[in-house]
Amino acid sequence: MRDLAVMLVFTAGAHFVPSDLGPMPGHDDLAAMVPPFVPVPRLAVYATGVLELLGAAGLIREATRPAAGLGLAVLFVLMLPANIYAPLAIGPIRVRSPGPGTRA
C-alpha cells in the first residue's frame, strides 16, 4: 500500500504545480480537462488534489486503509468524466519537451 500512497502523492502534485514548470502536465493542463458542466474547474482540480493526498495518507495506516480505499474509489469514479472529456474534446495531451540539451 505504501507504493500506491507514494504514487498518489506524485500524481496529486500535478494538481498544484504550474503547467509551465516542466514537461509533465500541471494545474492549468488538468483544469483544461474538466468538462464544461463543472462550474469552477480550477477549484475542482485543487479539491481533487487535496482528496488524493488525504487518500494517500489514509492508505498508510492499517486502521484507515478501508475508508481511504473506498474514498479513493469514489474519487476516481467522480474524476472519470474528465478523463473521458479530455481526449474527446481536446485531443491527446502532448508532453512538452524539457528543452534543448536535455533528454526527453
Side-chain angles (χ1 to χ4, degrees), residues 3-17 24-25 30 52-53 56:
D3 292 343
L4 181 58
V6 169
M7 187 268 313
L8 286 169
V9 168
F10 281 107
T11 58
H15 296 242
F16 304 101
V17 298
M24 298 304 293
L30 296 177
E52 277 188 43
L53 291 172

Side-chain angles (χ1 to χ4, degrees), residues 66-87:
L70 180 62
L72 286 167
V74 170
L75 175 64
F76 295 151
V77 168
L78 292 174
M79 291 169 54
L80 185 60
N83 292 304
I84 294 171
Y85 171 78

Side-chain angles (χ1 to χ4, degrees), residues 2 11 15 20 22 28 31 35 38 41 44 50 89 91-92 102:
R2 283 196 183 129
T11 58
H15 296 242
D20 58 356
D28 292 335
V38 177
V50 169
T102 59

